Short mmCIF file of all heavy atoms in Angstrom, two decimals:
data_model
loop_
_atom_site.label_atom_id
_atom_site.label_comp_id
_atom_site.label_asym_id
_atom_site.label_seq_id
_atom_site.Cartn_x
_atom_site.Cartn_y
_atom_site.Cartn_z
N MET A 194 -4.29 -12.47 -11.90
CA MET A 194 -4.60 -11.21 -11.27
C MET A 194 -4.00 -10.09 -12.10
O MET A 194 -2.90 -10.19 -12.59
CB MET A 194 -4.03 -11.19 -9.86
CG MET A 194 -4.40 -9.96 -9.09
SD MET A 194 -3.84 -10.12 -7.39
CE MET A 194 -3.69 -8.45 -6.98
N ALA A 195 -4.73 -9.03 -12.23
CA ALA A 195 -4.27 -7.88 -13.01
C ALA A 195 -3.16 -7.15 -12.27
O ALA A 195 -3.12 -7.12 -11.06
CB ALA A 195 -5.43 -6.94 -13.27
N ARG A 196 -2.28 -6.57 -13.03
CA ARG A 196 -1.21 -5.77 -12.44
C ARG A 196 -1.78 -4.43 -11.98
O ARG A 196 -2.82 -3.99 -12.45
CB ARG A 196 -0.09 -5.57 -13.43
CG ARG A 196 0.58 -6.84 -13.82
CD ARG A 196 1.79 -6.52 -14.69
NE ARG A 196 2.43 -7.73 -15.13
CZ ARG A 196 3.40 -8.35 -14.47
NH1 ARG A 196 3.83 -7.87 -13.34
NH2 ARG A 196 3.92 -9.45 -14.94
N ALA A 197 -1.07 -3.76 -11.08
CA ALA A 197 -1.55 -2.51 -10.51
C ALA A 197 -1.81 -1.46 -11.58
O ALA A 197 -2.78 -0.71 -11.49
CB ALA A 197 -0.55 -2.00 -9.47
N ARG A 198 -0.99 -1.41 -12.60
CA ARG A 198 -1.19 -0.38 -13.61
C ARG A 198 -2.41 -0.65 -14.49
O ARG A 198 -2.87 0.22 -15.19
CB ARG A 198 0.06 -0.20 -14.46
CG ARG A 198 0.41 -1.37 -15.30
CD ARG A 198 1.65 -1.09 -16.14
NE ARG A 198 2.05 -2.26 -16.86
CZ ARG A 198 2.97 -3.12 -16.48
NH1 ARG A 198 3.59 -2.91 -15.35
NH2 ARG A 198 3.30 -4.17 -17.20
N GLU A 199 -2.94 -1.87 -14.44
CA GLU A 199 -4.12 -2.22 -15.22
C GLU A 199 -5.41 -2.02 -14.44
O GLU A 199 -6.49 -2.04 -15.01
CB GLU A 199 -4.02 -3.67 -15.66
CG GLU A 199 -2.84 -3.94 -16.57
CD GLU A 199 -2.62 -5.43 -16.82
OE1 GLU A 199 -3.34 -6.23 -16.20
OE2 GLU A 199 -1.75 -5.76 -17.60
N LEU A 200 -5.32 -1.84 -13.12
CA LEU A 200 -6.50 -1.66 -12.28
C LEU A 200 -6.94 -0.20 -12.28
O LEU A 200 -6.12 0.70 -12.40
CB LEU A 200 -6.18 -2.09 -10.85
CG LEU A 200 -5.84 -3.56 -10.64
CD1 LEU A 200 -5.44 -3.79 -9.20
CD2 LEU A 200 -7.02 -4.44 -11.02
N PRO A 201 -8.24 0.03 -12.15
CA PRO A 201 -8.69 1.43 -12.06
C PRO A 201 -8.21 2.03 -10.73
O PRO A 201 -8.04 1.32 -9.73
CB PRO A 201 -10.22 1.32 -12.08
CG PRO A 201 -10.51 -0.06 -11.65
CD PRO A 201 -9.35 -0.91 -12.07
N PRO A 202 -7.97 3.32 -10.71
CA PRO A 202 -7.50 3.95 -9.47
C PRO A 202 -8.56 3.89 -8.37
O PRO A 202 -9.75 3.89 -8.65
CB PRO A 202 -7.20 5.40 -9.87
CG PRO A 202 -7.98 5.61 -11.11
CD PRO A 202 -8.12 4.27 -11.78
N ASP A 203 -8.11 3.83 -7.13
CA ASP A 203 -9.02 3.82 -5.98
C ASP A 203 -9.61 5.21 -5.79
O ASP A 203 -8.94 6.22 -6.00
CB ASP A 203 -8.27 3.45 -4.69
CG ASP A 203 -7.74 2.03 -4.74
OD1 ASP A 203 -8.45 1.16 -5.28
OD2 ASP A 203 -6.63 1.79 -4.22
N PRO A 204 -10.87 5.29 -5.36
CA PRO A 204 -11.41 6.61 -5.03
C PRO A 204 -10.70 7.15 -3.79
O PRO A 204 -10.45 6.40 -2.85
CB PRO A 204 -12.89 6.34 -4.74
CG PRO A 204 -13.00 4.88 -4.52
CD PRO A 204 -11.83 4.22 -5.20
N ILE A 205 -10.38 8.41 -3.81
CA ILE A 205 -9.59 9.03 -2.71
C ILE A 205 -10.55 9.54 -1.64
O ILE A 205 -11.51 10.27 -1.93
CB ILE A 205 -8.72 10.17 -3.25
CG1 ILE A 205 -7.78 9.65 -4.34
CG2 ILE A 205 -7.95 10.83 -2.13
CD1 ILE A 205 -6.87 8.54 -3.90
N LYS A 206 -10.28 9.13 -0.39
CA LYS A 206 -11.11 9.57 0.73
C LYS A 206 -10.58 10.89 1.29
O LYS A 206 -11.34 11.81 1.59
CB LYS A 206 -11.12 8.50 1.82
CG LYS A 206 -11.97 8.83 3.02
CD LYS A 206 -12.25 7.61 3.87
CE LYS A 206 -11.21 7.43 4.92
NZ LYS A 206 -11.51 6.33 5.83
N GLU A 207 -9.26 10.98 1.46
CA GLU A 207 -8.67 12.20 1.98
C GLU A 207 -7.23 12.31 1.51
O GLU A 207 -6.61 11.32 1.13
CB GLU A 207 -8.72 12.23 3.52
CG GLU A 207 -7.81 11.21 4.19
CD GLU A 207 -7.79 11.33 5.70
OE1 GLU A 207 -7.31 12.34 6.20
OE2 GLU A 207 -8.25 10.38 6.34
N VAL A 208 -6.72 13.52 1.54
CA VAL A 208 -5.32 13.78 1.18
C VAL A 208 -4.69 14.49 2.38
O VAL A 208 -5.20 15.50 2.84
CB VAL A 208 -5.18 14.65 -0.08
CG1 VAL A 208 -3.75 14.98 -0.36
CG2 VAL A 208 -5.84 13.96 -1.28
N GLN A 209 -3.59 13.93 2.88
CA GLN A 209 -2.85 14.57 3.95
C GLN A 209 -1.57 15.17 3.36
O GLN A 209 -0.94 14.56 2.51
CB GLN A 209 -2.48 13.55 5.03
CG GLN A 209 -3.66 13.07 5.83
CD GLN A 209 -3.20 12.12 6.93
OE1 GLN A 209 -2.48 11.18 6.66
NE2 GLN A 209 -3.66 12.37 8.13
N VAL A 210 -1.19 16.33 3.86
CA VAL A 210 -0.01 17.01 3.39
C VAL A 210 0.95 17.16 4.58
O VAL A 210 0.56 17.65 5.63
CB VAL A 210 -0.34 18.40 2.80
CG1 VAL A 210 0.92 19.08 2.30
CG2 VAL A 210 -1.37 18.27 1.71
N PHE A 211 2.17 16.70 4.39
CA PHE A 211 3.19 16.81 5.41
C PHE A 211 4.30 17.74 4.91
O PHE A 211 4.86 17.49 3.83
CB PHE A 211 3.80 15.44 5.73
CG PHE A 211 2.79 14.46 6.29
CD1 PHE A 211 2.14 13.58 5.46
CD2 PHE A 211 2.51 14.44 7.64
CE1 PHE A 211 1.20 12.67 5.96
CE2 PHE A 211 1.57 13.56 8.17
CZ PHE A 211 0.91 12.69 7.31
N HIS A 212 4.60 18.78 5.67
CA HIS A 212 5.62 19.76 5.29
C HIS A 212 6.86 19.55 6.15
O HIS A 212 6.77 19.51 7.38
CB HIS A 212 5.10 21.18 5.48
CG HIS A 212 3.92 21.49 4.60
ND1 HIS A 212 4.05 21.77 3.27
CD2 HIS A 212 2.60 21.54 4.88
CE1 HIS A 212 2.85 22.00 2.75
NE2 HIS A 212 1.94 21.86 3.71
N PHE A 213 8.00 19.43 5.49
CA PHE A 213 9.28 19.32 6.17
C PHE A 213 10.18 20.41 5.60
O PHE A 213 9.88 21.01 4.57
CB PHE A 213 9.87 17.93 5.96
CG PHE A 213 9.08 16.83 6.61
CD1 PHE A 213 8.14 16.11 5.86
CD2 PHE A 213 9.24 16.53 7.93
CE1 PHE A 213 7.38 15.11 6.45
CE2 PHE A 213 8.48 15.53 8.55
CZ PHE A 213 7.56 14.83 7.80
N PRO A 214 11.32 20.68 6.25
CA PRO A 214 12.18 21.78 5.78
C PRO A 214 12.56 21.71 4.30
O PRO A 214 12.59 22.71 3.62
CB PRO A 214 13.40 21.68 6.67
CG PRO A 214 12.90 21.07 7.93
CD PRO A 214 11.84 20.11 7.50
N LYS A 215 12.85 20.51 3.78
CA LYS A 215 13.29 20.41 2.40
C LYS A 215 12.39 19.54 1.54
O LYS A 215 12.76 19.14 0.43
CB LYS A 215 14.73 19.86 2.34
CG LYS A 215 15.73 20.81 2.96
CD LYS A 215 17.12 20.31 2.77
CE LYS A 215 18.11 21.29 3.39
NZ LYS A 215 19.48 20.92 3.16
N ALA A 216 11.18 19.24 2.03
CA ALA A 216 10.30 18.37 1.26
C ALA A 216 8.85 18.56 1.71
O ALA A 216 8.58 18.92 2.85
CB ALA A 216 10.70 16.92 1.42
N THR A 217 7.96 18.28 0.78
CA THR A 217 6.54 18.24 1.06
C THR A 217 6.00 16.93 0.54
O THR A 217 6.27 16.57 -0.61
CB THR A 217 5.80 19.41 0.40
OG1 THR A 217 6.34 20.63 0.90
CG2 THR A 217 4.33 19.38 0.70
N PHE A 218 5.28 16.18 1.35
CA PHE A 218 4.73 14.89 0.97
C PHE A 218 3.22 14.95 0.96
O PHE A 218 2.60 15.51 1.86
CB PHE A 218 5.17 13.79 1.96
CG PHE A 218 6.65 13.56 1.97
CD1 PHE A 218 7.44 14.18 2.91
CD2 PHE A 218 7.23 12.73 1.04
CE1 PHE A 218 8.80 13.98 2.93
CE2 PHE A 218 8.59 12.51 1.05
CZ PHE A 218 9.38 13.14 1.98
N TYR A 219 2.63 14.38 -0.07
CA TYR A 219 1.19 14.26 -0.19
C TYR A 219 0.83 12.78 -0.05
O TYR A 219 1.33 11.96 -0.81
CB TYR A 219 0.71 14.78 -1.53
CG TYR A 219 0.96 16.25 -1.72
CD1 TYR A 219 2.15 16.72 -2.23
CD2 TYR A 219 -0.01 17.18 -1.35
CE1 TYR A 219 2.37 18.07 -2.39
CE2 TYR A 219 0.20 18.53 -1.48
CZ TYR A 219 1.39 18.98 -2.00
OH TYR A 219 1.62 20.33 -2.14
N VAL A 220 -0.01 12.45 0.91
CA VAL A 220 -0.44 11.07 1.12
C VAL A 220 -1.92 10.99 0.82
O VAL A 220 -2.75 11.65 1.45
CB VAL A 220 -0.18 10.62 2.58
CG1 VAL A 220 -0.66 9.21 2.81
CG2 VAL A 220 1.30 10.76 2.91
N GLU A 221 -2.26 10.19 -0.19
CA GLU A 221 -3.65 9.99 -0.57
C GLU A 221 -4.18 8.73 0.09
O GLU A 221 -3.62 7.65 -0.10
CB GLU A 221 -3.77 9.87 -2.09
CG GLU A 221 -3.37 11.13 -2.83
CD GLU A 221 -3.47 10.97 -4.33
OE1 GLU A 221 -3.58 9.82 -4.81
OE2 GLU A 221 -3.44 11.99 -5.01
N ARG A 222 -5.22 8.85 0.88
CA ARG A 222 -5.82 7.70 1.55
C ARG A 222 -7.04 7.24 0.76
O ARG A 222 -8.01 7.99 0.63
CB ARG A 222 -6.19 8.07 2.97
CG ARG A 222 -4.98 8.56 3.76
CD ARG A 222 -5.08 8.14 5.18
NE ARG A 222 -3.94 8.67 5.91
CZ ARG A 222 -2.96 7.89 6.34
NH1 ARG A 222 -3.01 6.61 6.15
NH2 ARG A 222 -1.95 8.42 6.97
N PRO A 223 -6.99 6.01 0.24
CA PRO A 223 -8.14 5.54 -0.56
C PRO A 223 -9.35 5.20 0.31
O PRO A 223 -9.22 4.88 1.48
CB PRO A 223 -7.57 4.28 -1.24
CG PRO A 223 -6.51 3.82 -0.34
CD PRO A 223 -5.93 5.04 0.30
N ASP A 224 -10.51 5.27 -0.30
CA ASP A 224 -11.76 4.91 0.35
C ASP A 224 -12.02 3.43 0.02
O ASP A 224 -12.54 3.12 -1.04
CB ASP A 224 -12.89 5.79 -0.15
CG ASP A 224 -14.15 5.61 0.66
OD1 ASP A 224 -14.08 5.05 1.76
OD2 ASP A 224 -15.23 6.04 0.17
N LEU A 225 -11.63 2.53 0.91
CA LEU A 225 -11.74 1.09 0.67
C LEU A 225 -12.87 0.47 1.47
O LEU A 225 -13.19 0.93 2.56
CB LEU A 225 -10.42 0.39 1.08
CG LEU A 225 -9.15 0.88 0.40
CD1 LEU A 225 -7.95 0.18 1.01
CD2 LEU A 225 -9.21 0.66 -1.09
N THR A 226 -13.41 -0.60 0.90
CA THR A 226 -14.40 -1.37 1.66
C THR A 226 -13.65 -2.13 2.75
O THR A 226 -12.43 -2.36 2.63
CB THR A 226 -15.13 -2.37 0.76
OG1 THR A 226 -14.17 -3.30 0.25
CG2 THR A 226 -15.84 -1.68 -0.39
N PRO A 227 -14.32 -2.55 3.82
CA PRO A 227 -13.64 -3.31 4.87
C PRO A 227 -13.00 -4.58 4.33
O PRO A 227 -11.90 -4.96 4.77
CB PRO A 227 -14.75 -3.63 5.87
CG PRO A 227 -15.77 -2.57 5.66
CD PRO A 227 -15.70 -2.23 4.20
N GLU A 228 -13.63 -5.25 3.37
CA GLU A 228 -13.06 -6.48 2.80
C GLU A 228 -11.78 -6.19 2.02
O GLU A 228 -10.80 -6.92 2.14
CB GLU A 228 -14.06 -7.17 1.89
CG GLU A 228 -15.32 -7.65 2.57
CD GLU A 228 -16.36 -6.56 2.78
OE1 GLU A 228 -16.30 -5.49 2.11
OE2 GLU A 228 -17.25 -6.78 3.63
N GLU A 229 -11.79 -5.12 1.25
CA GLU A 229 -10.59 -4.76 0.45
C GLU A 229 -9.46 -4.33 1.38
O GLU A 229 -8.30 -4.65 1.17
CB GLU A 229 -10.92 -3.65 -0.56
CG GLU A 229 -9.76 -3.20 -1.39
CD GLU A 229 -9.24 -4.25 -2.34
OE1 GLU A 229 -9.90 -5.27 -2.55
OE2 GLU A 229 -8.14 -4.04 -2.88
N TYR A 230 -9.79 -3.57 2.43
CA TYR A 230 -8.79 -3.15 3.40
C TYR A 230 -8.14 -4.35 4.05
O TYR A 230 -6.91 -4.44 4.17
CB TYR A 230 -9.43 -2.24 4.46
CG TYR A 230 -8.46 -1.79 5.53
CD1 TYR A 230 -7.60 -0.75 5.30
CD2 TYR A 230 -8.41 -2.45 6.76
CE1 TYR A 230 -6.70 -0.34 6.27
CE2 TYR A 230 -7.53 -2.05 7.74
CZ TYR A 230 -6.68 -0.99 7.50
OH TYR A 230 -5.78 -0.62 8.46
N GLU A 231 -8.95 -5.32 4.47
CA GLU A 231 -8.42 -6.52 5.13
C GLU A 231 -7.56 -7.33 4.15
O GLU A 231 -6.49 -7.82 4.53
CB GLU A 231 -9.58 -7.38 5.64
CG GLU A 231 -9.12 -8.59 6.41
CD GLU A 231 -10.26 -9.39 6.99
OE1 GLU A 231 -11.40 -8.87 7.04
OE2 GLU A 231 -10.02 -10.53 7.39
N ARG A 232 -7.99 -7.45 2.90
CA ARG A 232 -7.22 -8.19 1.90
C ARG A 232 -5.83 -7.54 1.69
O ARG A 232 -4.81 -8.22 1.67
CB ARG A 232 -7.97 -8.24 0.56
CG ARG A 232 -7.30 -9.10 -0.48
CD ARG A 232 -7.98 -8.98 -1.83
NE ARG A 232 -7.76 -7.69 -2.45
CZ ARG A 232 -6.65 -7.35 -3.08
NH1 ARG A 232 -5.63 -8.18 -3.15
NH2 ARG A 232 -6.53 -6.16 -3.64
N ARG A 233 -5.82 -6.22 1.57
CA ARG A 233 -4.53 -5.53 1.37
C ARG A 233 -3.64 -5.63 2.60
O ARG A 233 -2.42 -5.79 2.47
CB ARG A 233 -4.79 -4.07 1.01
CG ARG A 233 -5.40 -3.91 -0.35
CD ARG A 233 -5.53 -2.46 -0.73
NE ARG A 233 -6.24 -2.30 -1.99
CZ ARG A 233 -6.29 -1.16 -2.66
NH1 ARG A 233 -5.69 -0.09 -2.19
NH2 ARG A 233 -6.95 -1.10 -3.79
N MET A 234 -4.23 -5.51 3.80
CA MET A 234 -3.41 -5.62 5.01
C MET A 234 -2.82 -7.00 5.16
O MET A 234 -1.67 -7.16 5.60
CB MET A 234 -4.23 -5.24 6.25
CG MET A 234 -4.59 -3.76 6.31
SD MET A 234 -3.18 -2.64 6.18
CE MET A 234 -2.29 -3.02 7.64
N ASN A 235 -3.57 -8.04 4.82
CA ASN A 235 -3.05 -9.41 4.89
C ASN A 235 -1.87 -9.58 3.92
O ASN A 235 -0.89 -10.23 4.26
CB ASN A 235 -4.15 -10.44 4.60
CG ASN A 235 -5.09 -10.59 5.76
OD1 ASN A 235 -4.76 -10.30 6.89
ND2 ASN A 235 -6.30 -11.04 5.46
N LYS A 236 -1.96 -8.99 2.75
CA LYS A 236 -0.87 -9.07 1.78
C LYS A 236 0.37 -8.35 2.30
O LYS A 236 1.49 -8.84 2.17
CB LYS A 236 -1.31 -8.50 0.45
CG LYS A 236 -0.36 -8.76 -0.66
CD LYS A 236 -1.06 -8.71 -1.97
CE LYS A 236 -0.08 -9.02 -3.08
NZ LYS A 236 -0.39 -10.24 -3.74
N ILE A 237 0.17 -7.20 2.95
CA ILE A 237 1.29 -6.47 3.55
C ILE A 237 1.93 -7.28 4.66
O ILE A 237 3.16 -7.36 4.77
CB ILE A 237 0.81 -5.09 4.07
CG1 ILE A 237 0.46 -4.18 2.90
CG2 ILE A 237 1.85 -4.45 4.98
CD1 ILE A 237 -0.25 -2.90 3.30
N LYS A 238 1.10 -7.90 5.50
CA LYS A 238 1.65 -8.73 6.61
C LYS A 238 2.44 -9.91 6.09
O LYS A 238 3.51 -10.22 6.63
CB LYS A 238 0.51 -9.21 7.52
CG LYS A 238 -0.10 -8.11 8.34
CD LYS A 238 -1.30 -8.63 9.13
CE LYS A 238 -2.01 -7.50 9.83
NZ LYS A 238 -3.23 -7.98 10.51
N GLU A 239 1.96 -10.57 5.03
CA GLU A 239 2.69 -11.68 4.45
C GLU A 239 4.05 -11.22 3.89
O GLU A 239 5.06 -11.89 4.09
CB GLU A 239 1.88 -12.34 3.34
CG GLU A 239 0.68 -13.09 3.81
CD GLU A 239 -0.17 -13.60 2.66
OE1 GLU A 239 0.25 -13.46 1.49
OE2 GLU A 239 -1.27 -14.12 2.93
N ALA A 240 4.04 -10.09 3.21
CA ALA A 240 5.29 -9.57 2.64
C ALA A 240 6.27 -9.17 3.76
O ALA A 240 7.47 -9.44 3.66
CB ALA A 240 4.99 -8.39 1.73
N ALA A 241 5.76 -8.56 4.84
CA ALA A 241 6.63 -8.17 5.94
C ALA A 241 7.23 -9.39 6.63
O ALA A 241 8.41 -9.42 6.98
CB ALA A 241 5.85 -7.32 6.95
N ALA A 242 6.42 -10.44 6.82
CA ALA A 242 6.93 -11.67 7.46
C ALA A 242 7.99 -12.30 6.58
O ALA A 242 9.04 -12.76 7.07
CB ALA A 242 5.79 -12.64 7.69
N HIS A 243 7.77 -12.32 5.28
CA HIS A 243 8.76 -12.88 4.34
C HIS A 243 10.06 -12.09 4.40
O HIS A 243 11.16 -12.67 4.42
CB HIS A 243 8.20 -12.91 2.92
CG HIS A 243 9.09 -13.59 1.96
ND1 HIS A 243 10.03 -12.92 1.23
CD2 HIS A 243 9.20 -14.89 1.60
CE1 HIS A 243 10.69 -13.77 0.47
NE2 HIS A 243 10.19 -14.98 0.69
N LEU A 244 9.94 -10.77 4.44
CA LEU A 244 11.12 -9.91 4.52
C LEU A 244 11.90 -10.15 5.78
O LEU A 244 13.13 -10.25 5.78
CB LEU A 244 10.69 -8.44 4.41
CG LEU A 244 11.81 -7.41 4.41
CD1 LEU A 244 12.68 -7.59 3.17
CD2 LEU A 244 11.22 -6.02 4.45
N LEU A 245 11.20 -10.30 6.91
CA LEU A 245 11.89 -10.57 8.18
C LEU A 245 12.52 -11.95 8.22
O LEU A 245 13.59 -12.13 8.77
CB LEU A 245 10.90 -10.42 9.34
CG LEU A 245 10.44 -8.99 9.63
CD1 LEU A 245 9.33 -8.99 10.68
CD2 LEU A 245 11.59 -8.14 10.08
N MET A 246 11.89 -12.93 7.59
CA MET A 246 12.42 -14.30 7.62
C MET A 246 13.60 -14.47 6.68
O MET A 246 14.57 -15.13 7.00
CB MET A 246 11.32 -15.31 7.27
CG MET A 246 10.30 -15.45 8.36
SD MET A 246 8.98 -16.66 8.12
CE MET A 246 9.12 -17.23 6.49
N TYR A 247 13.52 -13.86 5.49
CA TYR A 247 14.53 -14.13 4.47
C TYR A 247 15.43 -12.93 4.17
O TYR A 247 16.44 -13.10 3.48
CB TYR A 247 13.86 -14.60 3.19
CG TYR A 247 13.07 -15.87 3.40
CD1 TYR A 247 11.68 -15.86 3.37
CD2 TYR A 247 13.71 -17.08 3.64
CE1 TYR A 247 10.97 -17.02 3.59
CE2 TYR A 247 13.00 -18.24 3.87
CZ TYR A 247 11.63 -18.18 3.84
OH TYR A 247 10.90 -19.33 4.06
N GLY A 248 15.10 -11.77 4.65
CA GLY A 248 15.97 -10.62 4.54
C GLY A 248 16.03 -9.95 3.19
O GLY A 248 16.78 -9.02 2.97
N LYS A 249 15.21 -10.39 2.24
CA LYS A 249 15.19 -9.70 0.96
C LYS A 249 13.82 -9.92 0.32
O LYS A 249 13.09 -10.85 0.65
CB LYS A 249 16.27 -10.19 0.01
CG LYS A 249 16.13 -11.65 -0.39
CD LYS A 249 17.21 -12.04 -1.36
CE LYS A 249 17.01 -13.50 -1.80
NZ LYS A 249 17.95 -13.91 -2.78
N LYS A 250 13.51 -9.09 -0.63
CA LYS A 250 12.22 -9.18 -1.32
C LYS A 250 12.40 -9.99 -2.57
O LYS A 250 13.43 -9.91 -3.22
CB LYS A 250 11.74 -7.77 -1.65
CG LYS A 250 10.36 -7.69 -2.22
CD LYS A 250 9.98 -6.24 -2.43
CE LYS A 250 8.55 -6.07 -2.90
NZ LYS A 250 8.19 -6.82 -4.06
N ASP A 251 11.41 -10.80 -2.88
CA ASP A 251 11.46 -11.51 -4.15
C ASP A 251 10.21 -11.16 -4.97
O ASP A 251 9.44 -10.28 -4.58
CB ASP A 251 11.60 -13.01 -3.96
CG ASP A 251 10.39 -13.65 -3.25
OD1 ASP A 251 9.37 -12.96 -3.07
OD2 ASP A 251 10.50 -14.80 -2.88
N ASN A 252 9.99 -11.80 -6.06
CA ASN A 252 8.88 -11.46 -6.94
C ASN A 252 7.54 -12.06 -6.54
O ASN A 252 6.60 -11.98 -7.29
CB ASN A 252 9.22 -11.87 -8.36
CG ASN A 252 10.37 -11.07 -8.92
OD1 ASN A 252 10.52 -9.91 -8.55
ND2 ASN A 252 11.15 -11.64 -9.79
N ARG A 253 7.47 -12.69 -5.36
CA ARG A 253 6.21 -13.27 -4.93
C ARG A 253 5.21 -12.22 -4.52
O ARG A 253 4.01 -12.46 -4.52
CB ARG A 253 6.41 -14.20 -3.73
CG ARG A 253 7.19 -15.44 -4.10
CD ARG A 253 7.31 -16.40 -2.95
NE ARG A 253 6.96 -15.86 -1.67
CZ ARG A 253 6.62 -16.61 -0.64
NH1 ARG A 253 6.58 -17.92 -0.74
NH2 ARG A 253 6.33 -16.08 0.53
N TYR A 254 5.65 -11.02 -4.16
CA TYR A 254 4.76 -9.99 -3.65
C TYR A 254 4.77 -8.76 -4.51
O TYR A 254 5.71 -8.25 -4.93
CB TYR A 254 5.11 -9.63 -2.21
CG TYR A 254 5.04 -10.82 -1.30
CD1 TYR A 254 6.17 -11.49 -0.90
CD2 TYR A 254 3.81 -11.30 -0.91
CE1 TYR A 254 6.09 -12.59 -0.07
CE2 TYR A 254 3.72 -12.42 -0.09
CZ TYR A 254 4.87 -13.04 0.30
OH TYR A 254 4.77 -14.13 1.13
#
């Protein structure tokens, strides 16, 4: 599997801007197909379960 820096960037669907007293955050929401969204969410869930079970992140994710 290609590394993230080797993949083309996702097309951006929307950009949200959050303003706080000492910071401004820009959140770019990609325009994903339902299959890609589900694949990414499953990967996030696996990583979160591993983090909760073992308490640290390793190089598997």
Side-chain angles (χ1 to χ4, degrees):
M194 185 173 154
R196 295 187 183 270
R198 66 178 175 265
E199 298 170 355
L200 296 175
D203 295 322
I205 302 302
K206 182 165 90 175
E207 69 175 294
V208 176
Q209 290 182 309
V210 181
F211 298 94
H212 298 283
F213 294 96
K215 295 186 179 184
T217 300
F218 296 96
Y219 296 88
V220 178
E221 296 179 345
R222 302 214 182 252
D224 189 16
L225 302 175
T226 63
E228 296 82 17
E229 179 66 13
Y230 178 81
E231 184 176 345
R232 186 187 70 79
R233 290 185 186 192
M234 291 306 295
N235 285 337
K236 191 156 182 114
I237 290 170
K238 289 176 187 176
E239 289 174 8
H243 185 268
L244 183 63
L245 290 172
M246 288 182 353
Y247 300 109
K249 65 178 183 176
K250 187 176 185 307
D251 64 10
N252 293 330
R253 293 184 345 159
Y254 301 102

